[in-house]
Amino acid sequence: MVDLEGIKEAFGPVKVTVIDALKANALPGLILFLLEAVLIVLYYYCLECSSTFVWIGEIKQQWGYLYSALATSLFGGFLPWVIGLCTNEIPRDNTKLVLATFFFLILDWAIIGVIVDALYRCQAIMFGTGSDAATIIKKVAFDMFVWTPCAGIWITLLPFHWRACEFSCTKFWQTLTKQFLLVTGCVTLCTSWAIWFPSVSVVYSLPSDLQIPVFNFILCFANLILLFLTRGLNKKKEEDEGKVMEDVVVATSEEMTPLVHKETSPNF
């Protein structure tokens, strides 16, 4: 007999975490969608921008997988690393960790760029290279509901969990529990659907040689948006916590003042 209560209890924390993650990513997703809309308008309606896109596409065609590796490591790895250093998201006092993070981001995103390029090429073979609605829908559906849950989230989630463990294999395996995989996997999947659904729709509406370059632009936008929004939220949280502590100190001082006055007053 299926233990429905056990299943409900197991997925309770997942549901709460997923809802919180979707709320947190609602604004970044909206901003990213607006930027993607601007990209589409520039490509189809701005002649100067369109020629620039075509030039980038020609470079991609000539360099192939090498372009995908270099460009994705630049937009997904190097630029976030530099910004992380400038904003103190990456602690600069630990030189070893700074260098390890640099090489990790460059190598990891280079590999992801090659994998994503291979995915786009395979879909071009399976569904064609057209930009009609039927072809786009097939590619988006395969990307979101086959590739993403089976492989897409894991090639990002697992390496970055290893980085969060400060590149300790022992800590990585110790924390890689079923609960972690269930909760983190579901959260990552749902946020990927929410944020990347319009993004991949934009990517698949473009010619094949432009898909990786536009993917890289969107990746860079997403990293920057999440970084600055997170910093803003953290700053507001610190200010709120500081205000609360200040109120507590004031309240405590006000409560202690009569007691001090009473103890120090002479007895007549």
Side-chain angles (χ1 to χ4, degrees):
M1 185 176 180
V2 179
D3 185 6
L4 296 178
E5 291 298 326
I7 295 175
K8 184 177 180 181
E9 183 179 352
F11 278 87
V14 177
K15 180 181 178 181
V16 174
T17 309
V18 168
I19 292 174
D20 290 341
L22 291 176
K23 289 179 179 178
N25 286 280
L27 182 57
L30 176 61
I31 297 174
L32 189 61
F33 174 75
L34 294 175
L35 289 173
E36 292 160 1
V38 171
L39 277 178
I40 288 294
V41 171
L42 290 176
Y43 175 71
Y44 283 106
Y45 298 102
C46 178
L47 183 60
E48 293 80 5
C49 296
S50 179
S51 61
T52 303
F53 278 107
V54 171
W55 174 69
I56 295 173
E58 291 174 351
I59 296 176
K60 165 63 177 69
Q61 187 178 26
Q62 293 173 2
W63 288 27
Y65 283 113
L66 179 60
Y67 175 93
S68 302
L70 294 176
T72 309
S73 66
L74 171 64
F75 287 100
F78 180 73
L79 292 179
W81 179 79
V82 171
I83 295 170
L85 285 178
C86 295
T87 57
N88 293 322
E89 294 293 327
I90 300 175
R92 286 176 285 185
D93 54 343
N94 190 336
T95 305
K96 184 178 179 181
L97 182 60
V98 169
L99 293 176
T101 302
F102 170 78
F103 288 112
F104 166 79
L105 290 175
I106 295 298
L107 181 60
D108 184 65
W109 280 110
I111 295 172
I112 291 176
V114 172
I115 293 174
V116 172
D117 192 356
L119 170 67
Y120 292 166
R121 293 177 187 232
C122 288
Q123 289 205 81
I125 296 173
M126 291 188 296
F127 307 117
T129 57
S131 58
D132 55 286
T135 303
I136 295 173
I137 291 173
K138 290 175 185 177
K139 290 182 177 181
V140 170
F142 182 86
D143 191 315
M144 290 287 96
F145 302 114
V146 178
W147 166 257
T148 298
C150 293
I153 61 172
W154 304 110
I155 63 174
T156 305
L157 175 61
L158 295 179
F160 274 83
H161 176 56
W162 180 50
R163 176 197 172 192
C165 295
E166 296 183 348
F167 307 107
S168 170
C169 294
T170 302
K171 188 177 180 181
F172 172 81
W173 288 112
Q174 288 176 347
T175 55
L176 202 64
T177 61
K178 292 181 180 179
Q179 183 71 9
F180 170 82
L181 293 174
L182 176 64
V183 174
T184 312
C186 288
V187 170
T188 306
L189 179 61
C190 291
T191 52
S192 296
W193 282 340
I195 291 181
W196 284 100
F197 206 105
S199 301
V200 296
S201 301
V202 170
V203 168
Y204 292 130
S205 68
L206 297 169
S208 298
D209 292 330
L210 280 177
Q211 290 177 359
I212 282 291
V214 171
F215 162 76
N216 288 324
F217 292 150
I218 295 173
L219 178 64
C220 186
F221 289 153
N223 285 333
L224 291 174
I225 291 167
L226 290 174
L227 174 64
F228 287 110
L229 284 180
T230 301
R231 282 180 57 81
L233 291 173
N234 289 340
K235 184 177 180 181
K236 185 177 184 301
K237 183 179 178 181
E238 290 174 358
E239 291 175 352
D240 292 341
E241 289 176 350
K243 186 176 184 301
V244 170
M245 288 300 297
E246 183 180 348
D247 293 341
V248 170
V249 171
V250 171
T252 304
S253 301
E254 290 175 352
E255 291 175 1
M256 292 298 294
T257 299
L259 296 176
V260 174
H261 179 74
K262 181 179 181 180
E263 291 177 359
T264 57
S265 298
N267 295 324
F268 293 102

